[in-house]
Amino acid sequence: MRTRWQRIKDSAFLYHFLRDPVAYVSFAILMVLTISAFAAPLIAPHNPYDPTTIDIMDAELPPAWTDEGSRTFVLGTDEMGRDMLSTMLYGMRISIIIGLGAVFLQAFLGIVIGLLSGYIRRLDNILMRIADVQLSFSTYMIAIFIGAIFQTAFGVANYEKIAAPLLILIIGLAEWPQYARTVRASVLAERKKEYVEAARVIGLSKLRIMGRHILPNTLSPVLVISTVQVANAIMSEAALSFLGLGMPLTKPSLGSLITAGFEYIFSGSWWITILPGILLVLLILVINLLGDWVRDYLNPKLYKG
Amino acid sequence: MFAFTVRRILQAIVVMLVISFIGFAIKHNFGDPVRELVGERVTPEERAQIRERLGLNDPFLVQYSRFLVDALHGDLGRSFFFKRPVTEVILSKAPATLELVFCASLIVILLSVPAGIHAAIYPRRLLSRFIMGSSIVGVSIPVFLTAIMLIYIFSVELGWLPSFGRGETVLLFGFWESGLLTKDGLLHLIMPSVALSSIMLPLFIRLVRSEMMEVLESEYVKFAWAKGLQPRRVWYVHAFKNTLLPVITVGGVQLGIMVAFTILTETVFQWQGMGSMFIESVSRADTALMVSYIVVVGAIFVVVNTMVDLIYGLVNPTVRVAGRQ
């Protein structure tokens, strides 16, 4: 009998994965980034959330490899004297958490709405019209609008206090139609098949047919778009933070770090904004490359370039 | 076609109603028209009087219908900060945004079509691989980061280009402040439009390439090869013509989406357009201005999308039938 480990080792998935350098290199980078982000409290040399360890005299020190750089701060310090490396690690953790949370929310909304509209014909027209309309606006725009409305509704101070869950909500609300459309398309294909017919003949309830019979068969396209959606969500979060509708400076994400450093670029302190920028691009890039690979692997027909 | 047109326009009207309803609900709950009119220094009694006179104590739906009628007459309220009707404020800011979008789309079209065609005709060449590789990197860089890097390289380090504002402008036709006619204005335009175009360029290159590759596989192109036509004729006359239709329709919608990205670009470059005005109005709690931006931009989107759909329906009859079921 073959063990599970052997099955994984012999699978076509792993075979193709290990033969595509783009895939495994980006996977490795993503793993390193994610692990170091979540291990930030353990591995970061300083704690940016603890004001007692921060000395304003250390502000705006350049990275260690330049002439004025100091050994204690490898990547320099920001305008408040926080260590860039630690702040970036903590920031990346927030960015990733918000990205994943937003994708879970949009997947949940999208799957529920997609199932309903694919299986119950009466709801289809209205739900898909809403999705169409929302898709025809850009998701960025919807996210910015919802963010602006929330900020007006809660006031700036309250908004900053609950920024992280709010951002998840905003991005989730802005991007669910992608999922709804994908799920609906596969539900429409599945519902005609015989096993659904059979389930209906046995007399199972609609809810059970949708949840237990159709849903599992619609999940592979959902997985395909999820990877890219995480990258999109992280990018939306960065954009919102950049506009002042995101994470506050006391608990910065990568986006708000870039914003904060932007003013100092004119005085030559490029590292405060460029370094988090590079990290953000690297993170999004590897997720996108991985997403492309997964899409091509699971659905060769979709492959267009 | 007639039924399709009517249905599409009805749908556009419904969407506009929904947008205006959301806008009004925000205004109704969070805005304070009395403050917009007279400022903060008024006694509570006077305030109550003004409220009654303005009809702010009427039922919600009565107020909403009044808002709709006013909006149709081009009156969306007054800006608390600018002390002017919001339509005036938005109209005065619109030229800056439109010029930015225009220049950026020019860059996108002029670069993406040749690059996409090249990548489609010679998929294995080094240049094509480079184009496709940089397009996936391009997709992964947020637009504001591109803008910041441009500023750092060309303004801070090299000092070649100005980093913010619109520079010298010329007043055209009495209302259009144009930066396209002066050297200074054009210099100020370069970086913002490059930054804005950077987000659409990769998408367009991929779009042109994939459509072109699909057409190159089709029967009639094979027939053209079989007839022994010149390669150039097959590529540019036979194949390219048919890639244009999807590119134009998808492109039309995408160019509308650029309006959303102007919010980010304008904030970085302090470009005095509608996008930075919107963000400022959010931070100043200038509800009337914020709501009217949402309504105006919503209207632009709805009009563009409806037009694109109608054009598409005109050219491709299957769309008209599919919608009916």
Side-chain angles (χ1 to χ4, degrees):
Chain A
M1 213 192 108
R2 297 195 311 166
T3 59
R4 171 165 294 187
W5 172 242
Q6 258 174 340
R7 280 227 302 276
I8 293 176
K9 226 169 86 180
D10 296 339
S11 67
F13 183 80
L14 196 70
Y15 178 85
H16 287 285
F17 180 74
L18 290 179
R19 257 147 206 79
D20 192 340
V22 175
Y24 64 75
V25 170
S26 15
F27 183 75
I29 296 177
L30 182 64
M31 276 301 113
V32 170
L33 289 180
T34 325
I35 291 172
S36 50
F38 281 96
L42 301 175
I43 59 170
H46 301 262
N47 181 2
Y49 293 164
D50 183 5
T52 53
T53 61
I54 301 168
D55 186 357
I56 194 75
M57 294 308 285
D58 292 334
E60 287 191 59
L61 283 177
W65 63 83
T66 53
D67 296 336
E68 299 113 71
S70 127
R71 277 280 178 76
T72 36
F73 304 106
V74 183
L75 295 180
T77 56
D78 70 355
E79 74 284 359
M80 296 180 210
R82 292 183 296 200
D83 176 45
M84 278 312 292
L85 178 64
S86 326
T87 323
M88 273 159 60
L89 286 178
Y90 277 86
M92 187 160 65
R93 186 169 69 154
I94 294 182
S95 288
I96 294 177
I97 290 177
I98 292 179
L100 288 178
V103 168
F104 275 122
L105 181 63
Q106 31 178 297
F108 176 73
L109 285 176
I111 289 174
V112 170
I113 293 174
L115 271 178
L116 286 177
S117 105
Y119 196 70
I120 302 176
R121 307 279 357 178
R122 266 173 300 149
L123 292 174
D124 187 31
N125 220 337
I126 175 115
L127 288 176
M128 279 302 117
R129 274 296 89 78
I130 298 173
D132 277 351
V133 169
Q134 212 182 316
L135 271 183
S136 71
F137 288 75
S138 104
T139 49
Y140 264 109
M141 189 115 134
I142 303 262
I144 292 173
F145 282 174
I146 302 177
I149 293 169
F150 277 4
Q151 195 169 62
T152 321
F154 290 107
V156 181
N158 287 328
Y159 185 91
E160 290 196 342
K161 254 181 244 157
I162 46 170
L166 270 186
L167 281 169
I168 292 179
L169 187 64
I170 291 169
I171 300 167
L173 283 179
E175 296 192 355
W176 63 266
Q178 313 272 8
Y179 279 96
R181 276 209 168 167
T182 320
V183 172
R184 173 178 173 268
S186 30
V187 171
L188 286 183
E190 292 295 324
R191 58 174 284 149
K192 295 199 190 82
K193 294 194 178 158
E194 278 174 355
Y195 74 92
V196 178
E197 225 33 51
R200 206 176 295 146
V201 170
I202 305 173
L204 295 181
S205 70
K206 274 188 176 166
L207 209 64
R208 200 176 161 82
I209 298 179
M210 281 193 283
R212 293 299 296 270
H213 294 251
I214 298 182
L215 180 64
N217 289 306
T218 59
L219 284 183
S220 91
V222 167
L223 279 181
V224 173
I225 60 174
S226 288
T227 355
V228 178
Q229 286 299 98
V230 174
N232 282 345
I234 291 177
M235 237 161 98
S236 304
E237 188 278 327
L240 284 170
S241 290
F242 183 76
L243 292 173
L245 296 171
M247 297 301 292
L249 264 182
T250 45
K251 269 195 156 193
S253 67
L254 287 176
S256 29
L257 277 177
I258 296 170
T259 325
F262 177 48
E263 296 167 34
Y264 298 89
I265 208 174
F266 294 102
S267 58
S269 307
W270 52 270
W271 58 92
I272 308 180
T273 185
I274 301 285
L275 290 180
I278 292 173
L279 188 62
L280 179 70
V281 171
L282 188 68
L283 182 66
I284 296 171
L285 183 65
V286 290
I287 299 179
N288 274 337
L289 286 172
L290 218 54
D292 271 10
W293 181 82
V294 173
R295 186 193 59 190
D296 296 346
Y297 173 76
L298 287 180
N299 194 354
K301 250 190 288 176
L302 240 165
Y303 182 68
K304 264 186 164 185
Chain B
M1 187 65 209
F2 180 71
F4 175 73
T5 314
V6 171
R7 206 170 49 229
R8 204 58 199 72
I9 289 176
L10 272 181
Q11 193 189 323
I13 292 174
V14 171
V15 173
M16 267 331 285
L17 278 176
V18 172
I19 293 175
S20 68
F21 186 80
I22 295 173
F24 179 72
I26 302 168
K27 221 172 137 164
H28 186 77
N29 287 322
F30 311 117
D32 185 357
V34 180
R35 189 185 71 152
E36 280 154 23
L37 209 61
V38 295
E40 312 259 341
R41 291 184 198 152
V42 185
T43 60
E45 292 80 45
E46 281 175 302
R47 212 171 267 268
Q49 265 180 2
I50 298 172
R51 279 192 78 83
E52 188 58 44
R53 206 174 62 229
L54 289 175
L56 293 175
N57 298 331
D58 294 347
F60 182 80
L61 283 177
V62 176
Q63 291 193 47
Y64 174 57
S65 58
R66 202 184 298 137
F67 171 81
L68 269 188
V69 173
D70 284 349
L72 287 177
H73 288 95
D75 176 12
L76 286 164
R78 288 177 69 85
S79 160
F80 162 64
F81 181 79
F82 290 94
K83 307 253 181 298
R84 278 196 295 165
V86 287
T87 18
E88 245 178 61
V89 178
I90 290 185
L91 276 181
S92 70
K93 302 274 185 188
T97 301
L98 291 179
E99 280 179 5
L100 183 59
V101 171
F102 173 74
C103 290
S105 6
L106 217 57
I107 296 176
V108 170
I109 293 165
L110 290 181
L111 286 182
S112 68
V113 171
I117 291 181
H118 182 88
I121 297 179
Y122 311 107
R124 306 223 160 263
R125 277 205 189 168
L126 204 62
L127 181 61
S128 315
R129 282 162 189 254
F130 175 73
I131 292 173
M132 295 317 289
S134 47
S135 88
I136 193 162
V137 177
V139 169
S140 307
I141 304 182
V143 63
F144 59 92
L145 203 61
T146 323
I148 289 176
M149 291 195 184
L150 285 174
I151 288 182
Y152 180 66
I153 296 172
F154 292 104
S155 306
V156 180
E157 286 293 311
L158 298 171
W160 291 352
L161 293 170
S163 63
F164 63 88
R166 293 188 67 199
E168 202 180 317
T169 52
V170 183
L171 200 64
L172 291 178
F173 322 116
F175 69 93
W176 188 283
E177 275 198 34
S178 174
L180 291 173
L181 296 175
T182 59
K183 191 172 161 246
D184 191 42
L186 284 176
L187 277 179
H188 279 82
L189 246 175
I190 296 176
M191 284 203 297
S193 37
V194 169
L196 184 57
S197 63
S198 73
I199 201 73
M200 286 293 154
L201 202 51
L203 293 177
F204 267 69
I205 292 177
R206 286 168 153 232
L207 180 69
V208 171
R209 174 177 179 268
S210 64
E211 291 299 337
M212 183 86 178
M213 284 182 102
E214 206 161 276
V215 172
L216 284 177
E217 292 295 311
S218 63
E219 300 282 322
Y220 81 94
V221 172
K222 281 183 192 151
F223 181 60
W225 287 116
K227 278 199 295 186
L229 294 182
Q230 292 284 321
R232 280 165 186 273
R233 206 175 156 74
V234 179
W235 289 330
Y236 302 125
V237 179
H238 288 242
F240 179 58
K241 247 192 212 161
N242 278 300
T243 60
L244 270 181
L245 177 68
V247 170
I248 288 172
T249 45
V250 177
V253 177
Q254 295 291 330
L255 289 184
I257 286 177
M258 271 219 224
V259 175
F261 288 102
T262 59
I263 299 179
L264 290 162
T265 339
E266 288 181 3
T267 313
V268 181
F269 291 102
Q270 297 170 36
W271 190 261
Q272 289 304 309
M274 299 196 301
S276 58
M277 177 206 80
F278 171 68
I279 288 302
E280 281 164 15
S281 74
V282 172
S283 55
R284 285 176 191 136
D286 194 344
T287 326
L289 195 54
M290 185 183 117
V291 166
S292 50
Y293 177 84
I294 297 181
V295 171
V296 167
V297 171
I300 295 177
F301 263 77
V302 170
V303 169
V304 168
N305 282 326
T306 312
M307 301 255 277
V308 168
D309 273 10
L310 288 180
I311 294 172
Y312 202 66
L314 206 61
V315 200
N316 185 358
T318 50
V319 181
R320 312 201 294 254
V321 185
R324 204 180 296 146
Q325 290 174 349

